[in-house]
Amino acid sequence: MTDFKAALLGWIDRATAFARESRLLTRREGALKALEDARARAAALDRPLRAVLIGGTGVGKSSIINAIAGRAISEASRRRPTTSAPVAYVHEAHAAEAADFAPGLRAERHAEEPLRHLLLADLPDFDSRAVEHRALVDALLPRADQVIWVVDPDKYNDGLLHREYLVREARVRERFVVVFNKTDTLPPQEAKLCCDDLAATLRVDGVDAPAIFPTSTVAPADPGFAAFAEFLRTKFTEKYVRELKAANVFRFLQAAAQDVGEFFPVVGHG
């Protein structure tokens, strides 16, 4: 991984220099931003996968991470906004990665071997009245390897979520995971109809074949939440994490190529 990582970083640096110097580019800023994001991801190829829980107020992000941890590590209440200081659930062997991902990110350590390669962070509400909360989400989102979008029956079709986030993220991400929380508040058939409606809306956003987990963190032994917890503990193996992180780097490079256009291939020579 070290030789590949060094070669990839060198290539991105050459591409960045090209994008900065060329007078022929009309979408320079977009290309530079995509290259900057790609470089940050390439630099973290050999680190745990950074997964973030993102959603609007009251959808239950904190309850989800608490249920995964089996203890209260993130404040969950009816008060809005709630999550002001983000917290990460991270293996004790990689606890230092929390501060590297985001200064001030509180690390709650664990010793679960199935989650060794996963840093799971609960971020503030992106639609909070506190503008600094959305600013933090927007700053950390490009640095996340995996986004777990959390919605509920009230907010699964929220315009801000789809217009400002999912449509944009569909351009640079391939694998989408969505938790449809609070299914206990709906009759089973209605919950299924809402999930089907969400899947259709995501396809319009440009998101194909998302993994959607209907969950409840209040229903005892909810099978939907159990399926999501099993997904986290079985999917993110060292091999899968490495492949996903590499794929994310190249998705951002593809985004840069779209902005640079026909001139981009030149950076691959010399």
Side-chain angles (χ1 to χ4, degrees), residues 12 15-16 19 30-40 252-253 256 264:
I12 293 173
T16 300
L32 287 173
K33 182 64 170 64
L35 286 166
E36 178 186 354
D37 291 339
R39 195 186 197 288
F252 274 88
L253 289 177
F264 190 75

Side-chain angles (χ1 to χ4, degrees), residues 15-62:
T16 300
F18 168 80
R20 285 175 177 161
E21 294 173 8
S22 176
R23 297 179 179 276
L24 300 176
L25 301 183
T26 58
R27 292 177 290 182
R28 183 193 315 273
E29 293 307 315
L32 287 173
K33 182 64 170 64
L35 286 166
E36 178 186 354
D37 291 339
R39 195 186 197 288
R41 291 172 184 279
L45 277 174
D46 50 1
R47 297 177 179 177
L49 184 128
R50 297 163 170 177
V52 294
L53 294 166
I54 289 181
T57 55
V59 297
K61 301 187 310 300
S62 297

Side-chain angles (χ1 to χ4, degrees), residues 25-270:
L25 301 183
T26 58
R27 292 177 290 182
R28 183 193 315 273
E29 293 307 315
L32 287 173
K33 182 64 170 64
L35 286 166
E36 178 186 354
D37 291 339
R39 195 186 197 288
R41 291 172 184 279
L45 277 174
D46 50 1
R47 297 177 179 177
L49 184 128
R50 297 163 170 177
V52 294
L53 294 166
I54 289 181
T57 55
V59 297
K61 301 187 310 300
S62 297
S63 296
I64 288 171
I65 198 171
N66 290 343
I68 293 294
R71 64 182 192 273
I73 64 173
S74 184
E75 182 182 1
S77 75
R78 294 184 179 274
R79 183 171 56 85
R80 303 288 179 266
T82 298
T83 306
S84 57
V87 59
Y89 189 57
V90 58
H91 193 277
E92 58 191 6
H94 302 297
E97 294 293 333
D100 184 72
F101 179 34
L105 182 63
R106 176 166 55 88
E108 284 289 338
R109 306 182 183 194
H110 65 79
E112 289 192 65
E113 195 60 26
L115 296 177
R116 170 181 281 272
H117 303 290
L118 183 69
L119 181 154
L120 182 63
D122 177 22
L123 298 189
D125 307 326
F126 66 79
D127 60 354
S128 167
R129 294 189 302 270
V131 295
E132 65 272 17
H133 288 185
R134 179 170 179 179
L136 181 59
V137 171
D138 290 347
L140 294 182
L141 182 56
R143 304 188 65 196
D145 301 303
Q146 176 72 69
V147 182
I148 299 171
W149 306 92
V150 183
V151 299
D152 69 5
D154 291 329
K155 296 203 169 183
Y156 76 92
N157 266 339
D158 178 71
L160 177 62
L161 170 66
H162 291 273
R163 181 181 64 253
E164 298 294 330
Y165 288 95
L166 287 165
V167 169
R168 181 185 65 193
E169 290 295 302
R171 183 173 178 241
V172 292
R173 297 187 193 273
E174 183 175 2
R175 298 171 178 86
F176 280 75
V177 177
V178 182
V179 173
F180 192 106
N181 199 26
K182 300 186 179 180
T183 53
D184 56 289
T185 65
L186 298 173
Q189 186 59 29
E190 188 175 343
K192 182 181 184 305
L193 288 173
C194 287
C195 287
D196 291 344
D197 185 36
L198 172 60
T201 304
L202 289 171
R203 285 194 293 271
V204 174
D205 293 337
V207 178
D208 296 321
I212 300 178
F213 293 91
T215 65
S216 169
T217 56
V218 298
D222 174 65
F225 180 79
F228 175 62
E230 182 181 11
F231 168 78
L232 292 182
R233 290 183 166 91
T234 59
K235 184 69 170 179
F236 296 99
T237 62
E238 183 177 10
K239 180 177 183 293
Y240 180 80
V241 165
R242 182 169 61 248
E243 292 173 350
L244 177 58
K245 289 166 77 72
N248 283 342
V249 171
F250 285 102
R251 292 279 289 183
F252 274 88
L253 289 177
Q254 286 175 340
Q258 292 173 12
D259 286 327
V260 175
E262 61 183 292
F263 304 103
F264 190 75
V266 176
V267 301
H269 301 283

